[in-house]
Amino acid sequence: MTAVKILLVDDHDMVRMGLKTYLSLEPAFEVIGEAANGMELLDMLRSSGPEEMPDLILMDLMMPVMNGAEATRAVMQEFPDQKIVILTSFLEDELVLECVEAGAVSYVLKTVSADELIYALQGACRGMPVMTRDVSEALTRGIRQHQAQDDQEGLTEREKEVLLLIAEGKNNKEIGEELHISIKTVKTHVSNLLMKCELEDRTQLAIFAHRKGWVKS
């Protein structure tokens, strides 16, 4: 059976050394590379041929230059077949949700046992999320918080339509033509959007819509 090729990403040399030493004892895994931050990871992936690509990325969250959540999002955009497990000391609702939304298969705390880590890596290889109870609860809280924020925005369906067209780069005249409403009405909707979302201009509205995941790529 071919060993699973793992790439380690952590800004602490000793952590990478410890993980590499432990994983080397597991015949099912082979550490094929190391990176100290997300940017180094991306550079390695971009310069790797098909045979050099990892099967799994085990990555820290808090790192300089590019953190784990940012790196996960960037990797999944360029290399959507990659499988990423976040290994961190931080258990915050927003961080867990951000990493999962970015595309991480699992979010694992550094306090887990060696067996639990191996189980999470094995699950990730099959695309199966493996999370401890406290991580799962943090994820649930994060989702609920975002849902509550969405509800509090109180946007009407028409305002959401205008917002999505703004995110597509359309001006007021183009929005009016597409929705069959006057430019004056469009301006009213834009003003309401800025007020409700507490933003200052159309660019911020477009970014807001993308961050909410409302804009289809």
Side-chain angles (χ1 to χ4, degrees):
M1 184 171 131
T2 305
V4 174
K5 295 180 290 186
I6 296 180
L7 202 159
L8 301 176
V9 188
D10 196 295
D11 58 323
H12 293 99
D13 293 344
M14 293 301 294
V15 173
R16 296 199 310 272
M17 185 183 300
L19 287 170
K20 185 175 182 179
T21 299
Y22 175 71
L23 291 173
S24 67
L25 302 176
E26 291 288 331
F29 300 108
E30 176 190 4
V31 176
I32 63 168
E34 302 176 36
N37 57 64
M39 189 58 69
E40 283 190 17
L41 166 64
L42 280 173
D43 289 341
M44 291 179 68
L45 294 178
R46 289 165 179 162
S47 62
S48 297
E51 298 299 320
E52 300 168 318
M53 292 292 282
D55 301 309
L56 182 66
I57 297 169
L58 181 58
M59 181 157 55
D60 189 20
L61 179 58
M62 296 303 184
M63 298 179 292
V65 185
M66 180 183 284
N67 66 38
E70 294 168 340
T72 297
R73 190 173 293 105
V75 168
M76 297 311 296
Q77 287 177 347
E78 290 191 43
F79 309 95
D81 293 333
Q82 281 297 318
K83 295 179 174 63
I84 299 175
V85 172
I86 296 294
L87 181 64
T88 179
S89 302
F90 296 88
L91 180 62
E92 297 178 19
D93 303 351
E94 189 70 23
L95 291 176
V96 177
L97 179 60
E98 183 179 3
C99 290
V100 172
E101 287 185 335
V105 178
S106 292
Y107 189 105
V108 181
L109 296 178
K110 289 182 177 179
T111 53
V112 299
S113 67
D115 288 343
E116 287 174 323
L117 176 59
I118 293 299
Y119 182 66
L121 295 178
Q122 291 172 334
C125 291
R126 300 190 296 272
M128 181 184 74
V130 176
M131 297 185 185
T132 56
R133 180 176 178 178
D134 47 359
V135 173
S136 179
E137 290 174 347
L139 176 60
T140 300
R141 288 194 300 269
I143 292 172
R144 287 174 178 169
Q145 288 168 6
H146 268 235
Q147 289 175 338
Q149 290 170 3
D150 289 344
D151 292 341
Q152 288 168 3
E153 275 137 25
L155 303 185
T156 66
E157 287 303 312
R158 177 63 85 189
E159 286 168 349
K160 284 188 178 181
E161 289 175 340
V162 172
L163 177 60
L164 293 179
L165 292 174
I166 289 174
E168 291 177 10
K170 296 185 183 297
N171 59 36
N172 288 350
K173 183 175 182 294
E174 293 169 330
I175 293 172
E177 290 174 349
E178 182 153 340
L179 298 179
H180 306 291
I181 57 179
S182 68
I183 293 180
K184 182 178 179 181
T185 302
V186 174
K187 289 180 178 179
T188 299
H189 286 313
V190 173
S191 296
N192 289 339
L193 283 167
L194 292 170
M195 179 184 66
K196 289 183 178 181
C197 299
E198 299 181 351
L199 299 173
E200 296 179 358
D201 54 41
R202 297 171 74 95
T203 300
Q204 290 182 357
L205 283 173
I207 294 172
F208 173 84
H210 280 279
R211 285 180 174 171
K212 286 292 183 183
W214 293 343
V215 181
K216 296 181 180 179
S217 57

